[in-house]
Amino acid sequence: MGKTRNTSLDTVVTDFILLGLSHPLRLRILLFLVFFIIYILTQLGNLLILLTVWANPKLHTRPMYILLGVLSFLDMWLSSVIVPRIILNFTPASKRIPFGGCVAQLYFFHFLGSTQCFLYTLMAYDRYLAICQPLRYPMLMNGRLCTILVAGAWVAGSIHGSIQATLTFRLPYCGPNQVDYFICDIPAVLRLACADTSVNERVTFVDIGVVAASCFVLILLSYANIVHAVLQMHTADGRRRAFSTCGSHLTVVTVYYVPCTFIYLRAGSKSPLDGAVAVFYTVVTPLLNPLIYTLRNQEVKSALKRLASGRGAGSENK
């Protein structure tokens, strides 16, 4: 449980040193290139989705694509909070991050990450309504309600990030200042606190671990109902398309939630696998989202082709 460090409180930490991901020195250049390419592809892929949804009036007024556009926006920012710092760790540059920078990074990481958590749940609920309640879908989920739900997810994410940042940095930090992680995150930072951290660990368990696990269960329930409805479809093509879409969505959701739950449900302990596991939901998921949510979506692919050929949505309606 909570630990108390008996370092003199006369020393106050003014910055932290991020030790980054453990790696053999001979692979440093290769890893730098891999993460740099991942970052560029993540930004370009998500930006392309944003432009596609924005440029097509048929898409940006429908709940599914509103949620997809918001997800792309979140992925771009979440990747920008995390990946550049990982890339920096593979260079000779200083690994130091100011105390205020560490606070900001932790806040934005949990703000964006929790908002994404809630957004995945909304996306699963939207698919449940569309497939299981197709006749009532326009009444149960429309653009206005979707916008309100998305705004609620952003507000809830901001509150969550504020709570976690405040609780983490209200503790005294008096040395050492080496964070054994690639970002300023709660479990790694709390190990450096010079006070009892048991309250923080309990709040982390409930506010992150349990909430993430609950959202994941709600998503699974939504898709279980979708599968039940799909099995009752009379056409093989309809079943195939629905299963294909749901399978791809569940893949990216699993890649996000399982590592997240693994880390935060055991916030008081440390595993050598933590860094590698965290890479999946902080780096890999933002890269996969544009691929998984668009390659199997015929409407988005058609809109992408029109965007690439320079034809707007207006030409489609002529």
Side-chain angles (χ1 to χ4, degrees):
M1 287 299 294
K3 299 179 181 178
T4 304
R5 191 181 297 277
N6 294 320
T7 307
S8 171
L9 294 176
D10 294 336
T11 305
V12 178
V13 170
T14 58
D15 58 16
F16 293 96
I17 298 174
L18 297 176
L19 299 182
L21 294 169
S22 299
H23 63 280
L25 289 178
R26 67 179 183 277
L27 296 179
R28 175 166 291 185
I29 295 177
L30 175 62
L31 290 171
F32 172 87
L33 293 174
V34 167
F35 280 95
F36 180 76
I37 292 171
I38 286 176
Y39 179 67
I40 297 300
L41 292 178
T42 298
Q43 297 301 307
L44 291 177
N46 284 290
L47 179 61
L48 187 59
I49 290 180
L50 274 176
L51 291 175
T52 302
V53 172
W54 175 79
N56 193 312
K58 288 182 63 178
L59 297 185
H60 69 234
T61 57
R62 293 169 57 185
M64 175 180 176
Y65 299 103
I66 292 174
L67 295 172
L68 183 59
V70 174
L71 179 64
S72 294
F73 182 78
L74 277 171
D75 281 334
M76 292 176 68
W77 281 100
L78 184 61
S79 177
S80 295
V81 169
I82 305 300
V83 183
R85 177 55 65 171
I86 296 178
I87 293 173
L88 188 65
N89 284 323
F90 298 125
T91 70
S94 172
K95 310 301 187 292
R96 293 183 180 274
I97 180 171
F99 190 92
C102 193
V103 175
Q105 187 181 55
L106 189 145
Y107 165 75
F108 281 108
F109 174 50
H110 284 275
F111 165 37
L112 297 170
S114 59
T115 302
Q116 189 171 58
C117 177
F118 299 136
L119 192 68
Y120 280 135
T121 309
L122 290 178
M123 294 176 80
Y125 179 64
D126 174 72
R127 291 300 84 207
Y128 160 75
L129 291 178
I131 295 175
C132 299
Q133 307 282 341
L135 298 180
R136 300 177 60 205
Y137 177 75
M139 294 180 293
L140 296 174
M141 180 66 78
N142 52 54
R144 181 175 178 275
L145 177 59
C146 182
T147 303
I148 293 173
L149 291 173
V150 168
W154 280 95
V155 171
S158 179
I159 293 172
H160 163 81
S162 299
I163 291 173
Q164 292 300 330
T166 301
L167 286 177
T168 300
F169 292 100
R170 71 179 176 83
L171 298 173
Y173 292 89
C174 43
N177 67 339
Q178 293 187 331
V179 179
D180 190 12
Y181 210 50
F182 55 89
I183 57 169
C184 289
D185 197 15
I186 296 168
V189 173
L190 285 182
R191 296 186 196 108
L192 305 179
C194 304
D196 181 51
T197 61
S198 56
V199 173
N200 295 71
E201 290 168 14
R202 283 195 292 268
V203 172
T204 299
F205 179 87
V206 174
D207 190 32
I208 302 178
V210 174
V211 170
S214 299
C215 287
F216 188 43
V217 169
L218 290 174
I219 291 171
L220 292 180
L221 288 174
S222 296
Y223 281 110
N225 281 284
I226 289 172
V227 169
H228 181 263
V230 167
L231 291 175
Q232 297 180 10
M233 288 182 177
H234 299 295
T235 63
D237 182 60
R239 287 196 299 270
R240 181 189 60 79
R241 290 176 59 190
F243 272 127
S244 175
T245 301
C246 292
S248 61
H249 290 189
L250 274 176
T251 298
V252 73
V253 164
T254 302
V255 170
Y256 182 82
Y257 278 98
V258 172
C260 183
T261 305
F262 170 80
I263 288 177
Y264 294 109
L265 284 182
R266 34 176 294 284
S269 60
K270 181 180 184 298
S271 168
L273 294 176
D274 283 356
V277 169
V279 165
F280 279 95
Y281 72 91
T282 57
V283 179
V284 176
T285 301
L287 173 68
L288 290 180
N289 280 337
L291 301 175
I292 289 178
Y293 282 100
T294 57
L295 290 183
R296 295 177 181 271
N297 188 306
Q298 191 58 46
E299 286 183 289
V300 174
K301 286 194 290 186
S302 299
L304 278 170
K305 290 177 182 176
R306 288 192 295 273
L307 188 67
S309 63
R311 288 186 294 147
S315 64
E316 163 191 6
N317 298 324
K318 289 181 181 179

